Amino acid sequence: QVQLVESGGGLVQPGGSLRLSCAASGSIFRVYVMGWYRQAPGKQRELVTAITSGGSTYYADSVKGRFTISRDNAKNTVYLQMNSVKPEDTAVYYCNFRSVSVPPLEYWGQGTQVTVSS
């Protein structure tokens, strides 16, 4: 079992910045992917960004150049730095952990609300 605890959400004005964190505890895996998903009202959950245990990253086109994912292995924590936020970034953000194992295992954080509004 892996527990994911998110923090850092809140209200921010357009153009502002916010940093989300996701702290993992419990079972550890050698090979994994951690990422951030978001879900806005009336829309499907979408992958925002991800980072592999090897350090490779992925960004959705909608956030490329504005958001940065990073990881602190010593703290078992992944971060999402959100810069130049837009109203369309408003959503519940979920941290996700996926092990590259047989079978693969997946865990989710509790979600944190990010609201971008003036």
Side-chain angles (χ1 to χ4, degrees):
Q1 271 276 342
V2 174
Q3 285 281 332
L4 304 175
V5 179
E6 302 178 32
S7 62
L11 177 65
V12 62
Q13 291 197 348
S17 297
L18 207 63
R19 190 178 78 156
L20 308 183
S21 65
C22 176
S25 62
S27 301
I28 60 172
F29 299 87
R30 289 184 177 182
V31 186
Y32 60 87
V33 181
M34 291 192 70
W36 292 93
Y37 289 76
R38 68 185 181 187
Q39 187 165 22
K43 300 194 68 177
Q44 290 191 332
R45 183 183 63 187
E46 64 175 349
L47 176 63
V48 177
T49 181
I51 187 168
T52 71
S53 50
S56 299
T57 58
Y58 162 86
Y59 295 94
D61 288 341
S62 59
V63 306
K64 195 170 298 182
R66 301 187 298 118
F67 291 7
T68 303
I69 189 169
S70 62
R71 182 182 61 225
D72 186 334
N73 288 330
K75 297 180 179 180
N76 292 323
T77 300
V78 65
Y79 304 93
L80 178 61
Q81 180 66 46
M82 307 168 62
N83 296 328
S84 302
V85 296
K86 304 174 180 179
E88 50 263 45
D89 295 322
T90 296
V92 177
Y93 284 71
Y94 297 93
C95 180
N96 171 268
F97 177 99
R98 186 182 303 111
S99 68
V100 183
S101 58
V102 181
L105 302 175
E106 191 170 59
Y107 303 89
W108 294 91
Q110 81 279 9
T112 184
Q113 176 71 48
V114 172
T115 302
V116 182
S117 177
S118 59

